[in-house]
Amino acid sequence: MSAVRVLERVTRPAPFGFRFLDVATGSPVPDGLDVTVTSTRNTARRAALTVNGKSVWYAHRFPGFADHVLTETPDWSALAQPCRVSVTDRLGRFLPLDVEIALPMRGIVDWPGWAGLPQALLAPLTRTDDASPPAVMRDALPLFSAAGRIAPGPLAEVRCQLLRDDTGAPAAWALLTASHGGIVRAIGQADAQGRVILFFAYPDRPRPSLATSPPAITDFRWSIELAAYWNALDPAATPDFAALMGQLTHPRTLFESTVPPRSPLPSQLLSFGRALVVRTAATPGGPSSSVVMATS
């Protein structure tokens, strides 16, 4: 067999590539998404993305970013124009994502807004490898679980529906975090009906002492603190990602009771293997099936 001679290599630069992070599992999403990129200056410039074997969503061609222009321009920032990236999930696992970002961008797209957010609340979005210090996975955009999603593994599960205390309407697009031991373990997004679900790895189990037998795994309990963040986003439209995450600077009180004098929601007890469904126990109309949230 004769050796193959390579006469020419052709390099075609991709104007952008995205990774999307399953917030529940911490893994890139390799399939099931419809991803489009549209120039906000000229909406006729639009591309549907495909995915490669490394879970990178990309398009080889994008109107206005010709191959020779990308190849001959060393600094792509000179070509950048605002584009709208829209993500929906055909499999119903994730809420839609809508983000504006300047493209083209070399390498995996890095959303520039991370640094302006409260970093402690982003702990569930940090790398879990040996990177030191831990840092938010800037090269991935998070996809939050939809309310109807089934737990993607043996994970802790917290469910609730958030309602506004001023109107009784759903707290659309609010963010919810769950903490244990002073560390934020999970972050989730409410849908337009205020429904939110959190999946996260169970905290470490307490080490048994030599004096007592270890309890059965189903007997483990953890104290979980919930916190909500909301800034009156339009319930009729998928929020822009920057506005969505910007809510982390607008904490809102969750109520255990809205009967005067009102009382905040205390820590909740999470049991191994059972979903924790959180509710406001006392309202003027009786126990609620939802969690009432302050709007100011």
Side-chain angles (χ1 to χ4, degrees), residues 58-77:
Y58 71 100
H60 274 309
R61 294 184 181 278
F62 189 80
F65 302 153
D67 286 357
H68 73 279
V69 174
L70 296 175
T71 303
E72 297 169 1
T73 305
D75 181 7
W76 284 10
S77 63

Side-chain angles (χ1 to χ4, degrees), residues 153-244:
L155 298 173
E157 180 177 333
V158 177
R159 292 179 179 270
C160 66
Q161 182 177 28
L162 300 173
L163 298 183
R164 301 170 51 164
D165 71 336
D166 56 349
T167 64
W173 315 126
L175 296 177
L176 185 73
T177 62
S179 302
H180 172 73
I183 299 173
V184 178
R185 308 288 179 139
I187 183 171
Q189 175 191 347
D191 61 14
Q193 286 75 49
R195 301 172 301 180
V196 57
I197 185 167
L198 304 177
F199 295 117
F200 55 101
Y202 285 101
D204 292 337
R205 284 171 278 178
R207 300 183 64 177
S209 67
L210 296 176
T212 59
S213 300
I217 191 170
T218 53
D219 290 338
F220 282 103
R221 307 282 189 275
W222 296 269
S223 179
I224 301 295
E225 295 77 39
L226 299 178
Y229 305 86
W230 179 80
N231 195 28
L233 301 178
D234 181 1
T238 300
D240 176 79
F241 184 67
L244 174 74

Side-chain angles (χ1 to χ4, degrees), residues 8-26:
E8 185 180 16
R9 293 184 185 274
V10 177
T11 301
R12 295 184 56 197
F16 41 72
F18 295 87
R19 278 201 182 96
F20 300 101
L21 178 73
D22 180 348
V23 175
T25 64

